Amino acid sequence: MPTHATTAPPTLDPLEDARDLQASIAALRLLLKAQSRQFEAIERRFSPPGTPAETGAHRLRALKARQA
């Protein structure tokens, strides 16, 4: 006689599990992108102002990153 209540085993649905996993990955990617933007903003705030060439290079990298 079991000492604990028996419950039915959870039904396995690989397709539903894959969809849940895909949704979790998408949410984590968005979170990572938001954190990356926050770190970049903090870095810009605390880094000393650069030369005009450095500023232009940074803007060009940011523009290319948005297009990717």
Side-chain angles (χ1 to χ4, degrees), residues 54 56-66:
E54 290 172 335
H58 177 70
R59 287 181 182 168
L60 183 59
R61 283 193 304 268
L63 180 62
K64 285 184 178 182
R66 278 189 234 135

Side-chain angles (χ1 to χ4, degrees), residues 30-47 58:
L30 289 173
L31 188 63
L32 181 62
K33 186 182 277 190
Q35 286 179 341
S36 177
R37 285 191 209 126
Q38 289 174 342
F39 285 132
E40 289 172 1
I42 290 170
E43 184 179 339
R44 282 192 308 271
R45 183 175 294 153
F46 289 116
S47 63
H58 177 70

